[in-house]
Amino acid sequence: MKKMRKKEILAMLLAGGQGSRLGALTKTIAKPAVSFGGKYRIIDFSLSNCANSHIDTVGVLTQYRPYLLNSYIGTGSAWGLDARDGGVSILPPYATESGGQWYAGTADAIYQNLNYIDLYDPKYVLILSGDHLYRMNYQEMLRCHKENNADLTISVMKVPMEEASRFGIMTADETGRIVKFAEKPKQPESDLASMGIYIFNKDVLEKALIEDSEDASSDHDFGKNIIPKLLGEGKRLFCYEFSGFWMDVGTISSFHETSMSLLEENPVFDLYDYDFPIFSNENLSSPEYIGPEANVSGSIVGNGSQIFGDVIHSVISVDSYVGRGARVKDSVLLPGATVEDGATVNRAILGEYSVIRAGAVFGSEDPQADIAVIGDDCIVEKGGES
Amino acid sequence: MERVIGIISANYETDDLGCLTQERTIASLPFGGRYRLIDFPLSNMVNSGISTVGLITPYKYRSVIDHVGAGKEWSLDRKHGGLFILPGSLFGVTSSEARFMLRDLKHNLVYLKRSIADYVVLTASDVVYNMDYRVLVDQHVRSGADITMLYHEAVEDAPHDLGLELDGDKVTSFIHGVKKGENIFRNCFVISRALLMNIISWYSAEDFLDIFEAIEPDLGKMDIRAYRFGGYIRTIDDIRDYYLHSMDLLQDEVRRELFSHTNPIKTKVQDSVPTKYLEGCSVKNSLIPAGCFIKGTVENSILFRDVTVGEGAVVRGSIVMQHCTIEPGACVENAILDRNNVIKAGTVIKGSPDHVFVMDKKTR
């Protein structure tokens, strides 16, 4: 096989998950393709991290409803990742002479694409999840990996003890070497949670994946299978402790809460950082227009939107419309959403190109009520959801 | 559609835009919050199915080239065709109407020679409109004219523009200086490639002239016709035009037509963050692009990217370009602030709608 120019490190980005807990938002698209922050899609964050970390070769593993993701990523040029020598490759499941199969787990997905990794013969492989929100310079993690002479480095962050049982929890010695790993433990021993970001030495990864593929009892999952296996073999596993913002927006309420947190004047997760920009495959809409009677406050409004009514403490994504006399509060309008004249929207998430008809009321002001959600392209008529 | 290539001429200057074009060309004049004037003809070309476009660059071409790059945003980074940079010549004094200088065409004759297109659409880069040139080309082909010129009625006096005297759709003579209501040439025409190359060669000795200046004495010998564009179309000749036609964008129907979703005006993407409207801000009747941070009042205004309006600051009836900061309590009324200006806290800057205050570009 003719090889490409050798890379020091390449990234494999897992983007095949459905994110079923996001309900209506992921009915037609994969979670990494869900819109966030007015103009981004969730995958923009990990792709931008790669670009800002000078990692120019990225394999994106897709499986669940990939069409929007595929067309959105395109050649990767929006993230400056359209290099001739590397770039973004979309890696869906494929057929071989012995048939074909879906990706059975995170480890299996990478296993099935070992040939792709071989093409670039990297020394290190960075494994990422495409559905997390964070800014990270992976080069610093790589430096840490090299300094520790590690076989595998896992990015971790401190979480509140009471939440630790939701994560893969590491116990590390004073040098940062992992001595114990427990996937979603009932009685967590530590508060260091795995962020699902791994740097492997390529040969260690390859060997572990091949052995794992032959183990019929395995779930082919990095957290459940690969990490415990390497730990058992006495390999050098280290923590890389990350202290910035990191979020896996797994549920409707965490999606809503994280969106609302962007509205603070100086949010913890600040999208305004010109030294570490988040790139996106931006739409080419005109600037937004705020009408003569509009009232916009404590909000983010994206390009191409037309606002004629009241927008209070909300995220209005690109190409949205809020009509005259309409009122939107504590809500997230995803791209192209329309709130017609006189309609009211409270504590809600409106899917892409959804419509709230004139005079309709959607969502409740009651802070105890669940966040109201309407899926992409759906319509809410006056007097109830259709 | 017939095989058509495009030429956009950006090689002309004016003093009437004052400091706005001191360091940049008319083509790269920022317009409408996130665009530059060249975006309109360039996007029109591409939206009309013209995928080979030559750009005659002005002498001060840095800002234009910085903006268009390899033409990627307009899908003009093609293997076949795409964007061609055609270096413009230096001229001395030229007439105020001159947009299509023969020498610029002559020096880039190879662009025309190598093409196999039947027709060439030529446009200037000082006109704001969203048009499908196919209708212009269609009429040109059907009528069998030598040249078809785009026109519209002037919305006000335009003493520096070329007007057309018409008999039906036939151009009988040129008028120099146009009065309100008269037919004003909107700096766009279509011609066969063969005839264009002939004209360049016939008038070779007068290559310091604009093509229409050159052919004016011979107007009777040619079949020159006009096509009336029915949509919104404005030429930006001076600061007053710039201010008025920028403010036109606050009208719903103008925006709807110019920023059509089916024929979008494309521009260089800058990856700005969506604009943040903080609690207590008041924004009315304004066009706001991404990257702004607004705590104060913005009314009847057009902001560009990365503008900060501090608490208690007021921006009214103004155009504020990229990277400007209006500090808390400052007030800007009826003004054009070019890039990178910082209006210090408490400062008041006031023009009037008839005499807009213009502040030149600063270096960051």
Side-chain angles (χ1 to χ4, degrees):
Chain A
M1 178 168 61
K2 181 178 183 292
K3 303 241 168 157
M4 307 294 282
R5 202 170 107 203
K6 186 175 168 70
K7 298 279 174 187
E8 183 185 36
I9 183 166
L10 74 66
M12 297 295 273
L13 207 164
L14 297 157
Q18 177 184 0
S20 54
R21 287 177 302 153
L22 283 173
L25 300 183
T26 53
K27 202 171 154 198
T28 55
I29 56 175
K31 182 174 164 191
V34 170
S35 167
F36 180 80
K39 69 175 263 195
Y40 305 97
R41 295 191 183 276
I42 292 174
I43 198 167
D44 284 336
F45 295 88
S46 31
L47 284 175
S48 299
N49 285 344
C50 287
N52 287 319
S53 306
H54 309 292
I55 294 175
D56 63 2
T57 310
V58 183
V60 180
L61 298 113
T62 61
Q63 175 156 288
Y64 175 80
R65 292 197 183 269
Y67 67 92
L68 177 63
L69 210 47
N70 292 351
S71 69
Y72 184 72
I73 294 169
T75 60
S77 71
W79 301 268
L81 291 171
D82 55 340
R84 179 167 278 236
D85 187 12
V88 174
S89 302
I90 307 259
L91 304 170
Y94 58 90
T96 64
E97 68 284 357
S98 55
Q101 53 181 325
W102 297 108
Y103 295 150
T106 51
D108 181 54
I110 306 294
Y111 167 75
Q112 290 199 42
N113 288 287
L114 282 174
N115 284 343
Y116 168 77
I117 296 173
D118 265 343
L119 206 54
Y120 297 94
D121 191 25
K123 199 158 178 214
Y124 308 103
V125 179
L126 170 67
I127 293 175
L128 305 169
S129 170
D131 49 11
H132 297 161
L133 302 173
Y134 64 113
R135 257 198 197 93
M136 187 195 277
N137 187 341
Y138 302 129
Q139 290 295 345
E140 284 170 25
M141 180 173 171
L142 180 60
R143 188 170 45 85
C144 179
H145 180 81
K146 290 177 189 168
E147 276 169 11
N148 287 330
N149 197 19
D151 292 309
L152 163 62
T153 299
I154 302 174
S155 184
V156 298
M157 65 185 299
K158 280 197 158 67
V159 294
M161 235 10 194
E162 61 273 20
E163 284 183 33
S165 55
R166 287 173 42 215
F167 296 92
I169 294 297
M170 313 285 158
T171 310
D173 67 14
E174 64 283 358
T175 65
R177 185 163 178 174
I178 298 167
V179 293
K180 199 176 166 196
F181 172 83
E183 181 74 7
K184 296 181 182 156
K186 290 215 170 58
Q187 304 285 316
E189 270 184 32
S190 132
D191 60 354
L192 290 179
S194 165
M195 298 159 63
I197 301 165
Y198 313 112
I199 291 179
F200 281 91
N201 288 350
K202 187 230 174 191
D203 45 352
V204 174
L205 174 71
E206 192 168 46
K207 179 167 173 288
L209 289 179
I210 291 170
E211 288 169 8
D212 176 73
S213 74
E214 289 155 358
D215 177 357
S217 67
S218 171
D219 287 330
H220 310 297
D221 184 86
F222 277 101
K224 274 188 224 156
N225 309 104
I226 303 293
I227 297 170
K229 174 179 153 63
L230 293 177
L231 208 51
E233 290 169 8
K235 290 281 194 293
R236 293 176 64 81
L237 275 58
F238 281 81
C239 287
Y240 170 74
E241 198 173 326
F242 179 73
S243 56
F245 176 93
W246 175 89
M247 175 66 82
D248 176 358
V249 282
T251 62
I252 290 289
S253 69
S254 80
F255 181 87
H256 183 260
E257 195 182 317
T258 310
S259 298
M260 292 295 111
S261 75
L262 300 175
L263 301 174
E264 287 160 34
E265 186 169 347
N266 298 300
V268 186
F269 189 41
D270 199 346
L271 301 175
Y272 295 73
D273 182 343
Y274 288 95
D275 294 332
F276 201 103
I278 306 300
F279 303 106
S280 74
N281 198 346
E282 189 175 3
N283 69 333
L284 282 163
S285 297
S286 62
E288 63 259 26
Y289 175 72
I290 313 293
E293 277 107 45
N295 183 10
V296 180
S297 171
S299 297
I300 284 174
V301 181
N303 274 336
S305 292
Q306 313 270 336
I307 311 293
F308 296 96
D310 290 358
V311 171
I312 317 289
H313 197 253
S314 294
V315 175
I316 309 293
S317 302
V318 294
D319 294 331
S320 297
Y321 179 90
V322 177
R324 287 169 181 78
R327 183 182 160 84
V328 175
K329 190 163 177 265
D330 300 325
S331 296
V332 180
L333 270 58
L334 296 184
T338 293
V339 178
E340 293 185 350
D341 294 356
T344 303
V345 175
N346 277 309
R347 288 172 46 80
I349 299 169
L350 308 187
E352 298 189 29
Y353 297 92
S354 62
V355 181
I356 307 295
R357 288 275 185 234
V361 177
F362 189 68
S364 152
E365 267 185 286
D366 177 5
Q368 303 306 318
D370 282 348
I371 302 300
V373 184
I374 169 179
D376 297 352
D377 303 303
C378 293
I379 297 172
V380 174
E381 300 286 351
K382 188 176 179 183
E385 195 172 342
S386 69
Chain B
M1 191 183 175
E2 313 289 333
R3 283 183 293 207
V4 181
I5 59 171
I7 291 180
I8 297 175
S9 171
N11 191 18
Y12 50 91
E13 292 181 12
T14 174
D15 292 333
D16 296 336
L17 281 159
C19 59
L20 297 180
T21 50
Q22 196 174 300
E23 280 182 41
R24 60 168 82 87
T25 66
I26 301 171
S28 49
L29 186 60
F31 188 83
R34 71 176 297 190
Y35 305 96
R36 290 177 187 257
L37 288 182
I38 183 113
D39 292 339
F40 293 91
L42 201 50
S43 303
N44 286 343
M45 291 270 179
V46 174
N47 292 339
S48 307
I50 300 172
S51 57
T52 299
V53 179
L55 171 63
I56 298 176
T57 62
Y59 177 61
K60 293 184 289 188
Y61 58 79
R62 186 204 60 82
S63 56
V64 177
I65 301 293
D66 180 17
H67 185 69
V68 299
K72 184 176 139 193
E73 308 298 349
W74 297 268
S75 302
L76 286 174
D77 52 340
R78 304 285 87 193
K79 257 191 174 169
H80 189 74
L83 182 67
F84 290 80
I85 301 296
L86 310 177
S89 311
L90 261 180
F91 293 92
V93 177
T94 59
S95 88
S96 67
E97 295 160 8
R99 294 292 179 271
F100 307 99
M101 306 300 286
L102 285 171
R103 194 189 297 160
D104 284 342
L105 296 168
K106 188 164 116 182
H107 283 181
N108 293 293
L109 196 62
V110 67
Y111 170 73
L112 292 168
K113 270 191 176 159
R114 279 188 188 162
S115 169
I116 52 161
D118 305 305
Y119 297 97
V120 187
V121 171
L122 293 97
T123 75
S125 42
D126 55 354
V127 185
V128 174
Y129 60 135
N130 187 331
M131 178 186 177
D132 190 334
Y133 295 134
R134 275 175 280 218
V135 287
L136 174 68
V137 175
D138 279 353
Q139 176 181 312
H140 179 75
V141 173
R142 242 183 297 119
S143 71
D146 291 326
I147 295 177
T148 304
M149 303 170 76
L150 189 74
Y151 80 99
H152 193 267
E153 296 79 36
V155 288
E156 51 188 295
D157 291 356
H160 302 302
D161 285 74
L162 182 67
L164 306 177
E165 196 88 56
L166 297 180
D167 176 13
D169 68 346
K170 282 225 170 202
V171 177
T172 52
S173 62
F174 292 153
I175 314 166
H176 302 282
V178 184
K179 294 255 181 324
K180 185 176 174 177
E182 290 181 340
N183 301 321
I184 182 170
F185 173 48
R186 287 304 189 189
N187 302 339
C188 171
F189 66 102
V190 56
I191 184 171
S192 76
R193 186 173 59 91
L195 179 59
L196 181 60
M197 289 200 295
N198 279 337
I199 287 177
I200 294 165
S201 124
W202 293 336
Y203 297 93
S204 184
E206 296 174 279
D207 70 2
F208 51 88
L209 291 178
D210 168 79
I211 186 169
F212 294 104
E213 287 174 318
I215 65 170
E216 189 171 7
D218 301 318
L219 212 52
K221 298 176 200 154
M222 301 176 97
D223 182 2
I224 313 253
R225 302 199 193 205
Y227 173 83
R228 181 182 181 278
F229 178 64
Y232 178 88
I233 183 164
R234 299 289 184 272
T235 312
I236 309 296
D237 282 330
D238 53 29
I239 287 180
R240 185 180 151 77
D241 287 342
Y242 179 75
Y243 181 76
L244 283 180
H245 303 324
S246 292
M247 292 304 169
D248 285 349
L249 298 174
L250 299 179
Q251 298 167 32
D252 292 348
E253 31 324 335
V254 173
R255 259 192 341 273
R256 210 171 295 136
E257 181 185 331
L258 272 186
F259 303 137
S260 142
H261 283 275
T262 42
N263 290 316
I265 301 301
K266 297 164 181 123
T267 188
K268 182 181 175 184
V269 164
Q270 298 198 359
D271 289 290
S272 302
V273 190
T275 284
K276 195 171 258 191
Y277 299 78
L278 290 143
E279 231 164 279
C281 79
S282 169
V283 181
K284 312 274 185 209
N285 190 35
S286 295
L287 199 62
I288 317 271
C292 297
F293 200 79
I294 305 175
K295 287 178 99 171
T297 297
V298 180
E299 285 173 11
N300 310 323
S301 294
I302 291 169
L303 305 189
F304 284 72
R305 284 180 271 211
D306 306 324
V307 167
T308 303
V309 180
E311 198 168 351
V314 177
V315 176
R316 247 186 226 119
S318 295
I319 298 168
V320 182
M321 293 195 201
Q322 201 166 357
H323 291 301
C324 283
T325 299
I326 319 297
E327 290 189 353
C331 175
V332 176
E333 272 187 40
N334 299 314
I336 299 171
L337 306 185
D338 206 329
R339 291 169 70 122
N340 308 328
N341 275 297
V342 176
I343 308 302
K344 292 282 177 202
T347 310
V348 176
I349 290 175
K350 267 190 188 170
S352 75
D354 293 324
H355 294 280
V356 177
F357 182 88
V358 185
M359 196 175 257
D360 63 346
K361 178 177 166 182
K362 305 294 189 298
T363 41
R364 270 211 291 178

